[in-house]
Amino acid sequence: MTISRRSLLRTGGSLVGAAALNTSIFGGAFAETPKKGGTLKVASGGSSTGDSLDPTTYAGNYPMTLGYMWGRPLFRVDGNMELVPDAAEGHDVTPDAKTWIVKIRQGLEFPNGKSFTASDAVWTINRHRQEGMASGLQSNLSQIESMEATSPTEVTFKLKAANADWLYVLTDYHLLMQPEGAPTDEGLGLGPYTIEAYEPGNRALLKRNPRYWRDDVAHYETIEFYAINDASARTSALQTGEIDLALQVPSKIARLLEMAGFSIHQRPAAAFSEIVAQVDNDPFTNKDLVLALKYGLNRQDLMDKVFFGVGDIGNDHPIPSFFRYHAADLPQTAYDPDKAKYHFDKAGISGDVPALAMAPMLFYTSGLEVAELYQQQLKAAGINLAIDRVPDNGYWANVWNQRPFFAGGWFGRPTEDQMLTSAYHSEAVYNGSHYKDPMLDQLLLDARSELDEDKRRQLYFDAQEMVNQNAGTIIPYFTALLSATSSNVAGFQISPVGDGSFVDDVYQVS
């Protein structure tokens, strides 16, 4: 069963697999009966030779997808963005939503033969809480007052303040359960596959985990997972039969692939791309300059010319339209070259704007096209933008969140609190724009602690408004996730948060 947000404050139940709702943008259907065996050859972008199997380091699409093949968190979200237990089997919670008891699923084993216990869960989570650990979860996990294994099958969390959505934090793709004290970069997890070989930036070979607790999922015997950052090379590999499944297919070639006989799968997602100015680095400390850059972007033009209308226009905050507390009444930041010029002139910037660092893989493999179109749009406001074309390899480690003006992207998170806290809390490791406001920190604390729905909705609206008006992030659109499969693949399901849980359902058609 799924656990709705309303039922989170009641005792949780056991897991029954839930299929995600996926559609082809041009039509299509899936076969019905899963077949066991065979090898799935799949390719993704977002990889680097510096990638690791250590989940605390995950940033790009490739490691996140790979992680869900060999590992699993305590809970995950299904295709309807509802909570389902995974390495856990249920929960209890006190009426004030401050004490949560997570019940560990019994009978699970790691590939090294060690039984999974509550101590492993505590150890895994504590790694992300360690001082100096560059984990994107630290700001979310700072809610924990105390955490302990109160029995071999129970973990008790005591939170500093109420949070009705606490279990959603435990779905994060960084929190893959690992055996206590074991190496963290060898892929020892509770997923349906085990790592047989791994070459960062190239490929991973996986085999079905004989210890996995479910027999009704993970139908392929082996998976060959290739790292192909170039979108054209990735789709060419699909067309020539070198792979069976291409992730992150650009919308501009999706129809061509379908016309050639491939199935195109689309799903609205919480994932988004962004252009980020660090507001504590000159010249972006000047708010008028940031406003000029926001008004100088024609989002609809970008959506039409680069993404062919596939996706949703963003409004410079990270909450998509299908979330329950989305600020639908917040005025849309619209393209206005006159306003952009006004604010740019008011900023008094001498010379050109610092170069925008952009890699081809960004903006759903259309990074350079986006940068060049944005460059043209800004010219209408008299703003000259230089583009620093940065290679894909090493981007997440060496450029993202480190340059004063850069592009990036997020997979999205399943709740407003988790997304806003991960990206905009003053202590968040992934706070790329360096927007730090104690008032926003307190607002997020108040919102997650508020159990009245109407009051909570208003608090999250206020948080989105603060980010929209004050942060240095420009969020032009929310991605519609697109993937393509060959005719010998069925059952493919895209996760709304873009993880690798599709391996549960996909199977070979003879």
Side-chain angles (χ1 to χ4, degrees):
M1 61 171 10
T2 59
I3 305 173
S4 67
R5 286 182 169 89
R6 181 173 297 175
S7 68
L8 275 175
L9 299 182
R10 301 195 299 267
T11 300
S14 60
L15 171 69
V16 176
L21 175 61
N22 288 258
T23 61
S24 164
I25 53 176
F26 312 120
F30 296 131
E32 294 294 331
T33 306
K35 174 186 175 183
K36 295 291 185 180
T39 297
L40 174 67
K41 297 180 180 180
V42 55
S44 171
S47 68
S48 171
T49 54
D51 287 344
S52 167
L53 291 174
D54 184 346
T56 64
T57 67
Y58 286 0
N61 293 74
Y62 186 94
M64 175 188 177
T65 303
L66 177 61
Y68 251 73
M69 296 179 184
W70 64 260
R72 291 297 163 91
L74 292 170
F75 296 86
R76 61 183 177 85
V77 291
D78 67 10
N80 297 313
M81 295 293 285
E82 296 291 352
L83 193 81
V84 292
D86 203 311
E89 61 182 7
H91 75 281
D92 286 319
V93 59
T94 54
D96 63 1
K98 291 180 66 174
T99 300
W100 295 79
I101 300 172
V102 172
K103 300 176 181 180
I104 298 300
R105 187 175 299 282
Q106 300 182 52
L108 304 190
E109 291 185 350
F110 294 103
N112 61 3
K114 182 184 185 302
S115 296
F116 174 54
T117 69
S119 295
D120 298 307
V122 170
W123 182 82
T124 296
I125 296 169
N126 271 334
R127 287 193 65 235
H128 295 266
R129 301 174 68 204
Q130 292 174 6
E131 187 174 350
M133 179 68 74
S135 169
L137 269 185
Q138 281 197 347
S139 55
N140 285 283
L141 297 178
S142 66
Q143 302 174 50
I144 299 174
E145 180 71 40
S146 66
M147 172 182 60
E148 62 177 322
T150 42
S151 83
T153 59
E154 287 187 352
V155 178
T156 298
F157 298 89
K158 292 185 181 296
L159 305 183
K160 297 174 183 176
N163 185 353
D165 289 338
W166 168 247
L167 296 186
Y168 280 87
V169 175
L170 304 181
T171 69
D172 193 278
Y173 63 90
H174 294 94
L175 285 181
L176 305 177
M177 295 294 105
Q178 295 182 281
E180 182 178 4
T184 58
D185 59 354
E186 295 182 0
L188 297 176
L190 298 172
Y193 290 89
T194 58
I195 299 286
E196 298 292 302
Y198 178 51
E199 303 169 34
N202 186 16
R203 67 170 186 167
L205 303 180
L206 303 100
K207 186 175 182 179
R208 197 183 192 285
N209 183 2
R211 302 177 188 273
Y212 192 58
W213 65 280
R214 295 183 63 183
D215 294 325
D216 59 332
V217 298
H219 307 293
Y220 280 97
E221 183 62 26
T222 56
I223 295 177
E224 297 177 9
F225 188 22
Y226 295 95
I228 307 177
N229 286 334
D230 184 82
S232 297
R234 197 158 60 246
T235 52
S236 293
L238 180 69
Q239 291 173 304
T240 58
E242 298 172 71
I243 61 173
D244 310 301
L245 165 59
L247 303 175
Q248 300 110 41
V249 174
S251 53
K252 59 189 174 185
I253 62 173
R255 181 177 292 276
L256 296 176
L257 285 174
E258 176 141 294
M259 290 174 64
F262 297 95
S263 295
I264 306 299
H265 311 275
Q266 175 192 5
R267 112 153 275 149
F272 60 90
S273 299
E274 62 182 355
I275 294 170
V276 182
Q278 294 187 335
V279 295
D280 61 348
N281 272 318
D282 288 331
F284 302 110
T285 53
N286 190 313
K287 188 173 181 178
D288 281 295
L289 174 58
V290 176
L291 287 172
L293 294 171
K294 291 184 176 185
Y295 286 123
L297 175 65
N298 189 329
R299 298 154 201 260
Q300 188 62 58
D301 192 42
L302 184 73
M303 179 69 70
D304 294 340
K305 291 181 178 178
V306 179
F307 303 109
F308 294 82
V310 179
D312 292 313
I313 289 178
N315 196 21
D316 300 338
H317 66 75
I319 307 304
S321 60
F322 57 87
F323 270 36
R324 57 180 170 157
Y325 301 133
H326 170 73
D329 296 333
L330 187 65
Q332 175 66 48
T333 304
Y335 178 57
D336 191 328
D338 291 332
K339 276 189 178 180
K341 186 178 188 315
Y342 167 79
H343 285 287
F344 186 71
D345 291 343
K346 186 179 177 183
I349 303 299
S350 58
D352 297 341
V353 175
L356 170 64
M358 180 71 81
M361 67 179 175
L362 300 174
F363 279 83
Y364 219 63
T365 71
S366 299
L368 297 184
E369 294 175 72
V370 169
E372 290 166 0
L373 183 58
Y374 186 33
Q375 185 182 54
Q376 295 171 15
Q377 293 170 351
L378 285 173
K379 283 183 179 179
I383 302 172
N384 295 319
L385 175 68
I387 303 170
D388 184 4
R389 295 166 174 81
V390 182
D392 291 335
N393 190 40
Y395 187 87
W396 298 110
N398 303 317
V399 179
W400 180 65
N401 284 358
Q402 298 186 44
R403 298 278 189 91
F405 196 32
F406 64 93
W410 284 76
F411 301 115
R413 299 295 187 270
T415 67
E416 290 82 357
D417 175 65
Q418 194 177 352
M419 184 66 248
L420 289 163
T421 300
S422 296
Y424 296 102
H425 191 280
S426 296
E427 297 179 1
V429 173
Y430 289 168
N431 184 342
S433 77
H434 295 183
Y435 166 55
K436 299 179 180 182
D437 188 337
M439 291 181 62
L440 178 62
D441 297 342
Q442 185 62 47
L443 189 60
L444 294 175
L445 176 61
D446 293 343
R448 79 169 66 105
S449 304
E450 179 58 65
L451 302 182
D452 180 277
E453 280 289 297
D454 291 335
K455 293 179 181 178
R456 202 176 198 211
R457 180 175 292 104
Q458 183 60 50
L459 290 169
Y460 280 123
F461 179 99
D462 294 343
Q464 291 166 71
E465 185 175 39
M466 289 183 69
V467 169
N468 167 275
Q469 295 181 358
N470 301 304
T473 44
I474 303 170
I475 301 176
Y477 89 119
F478 286 86
T479 306
L481 300 178
L482 293 170
S483 295
T485 55
S486 61
S487 59
N488 65 335
V489 173
F492 178 70
Q493 307 283 339
I494 300 178
S495 163
V497 293
D499 60 41
S501 58
F502 65 83
V503 297
D504 287 0
D505 303 305
V506 70
Y507 62 93
Q508 179 174 278
V509 177
S510 54

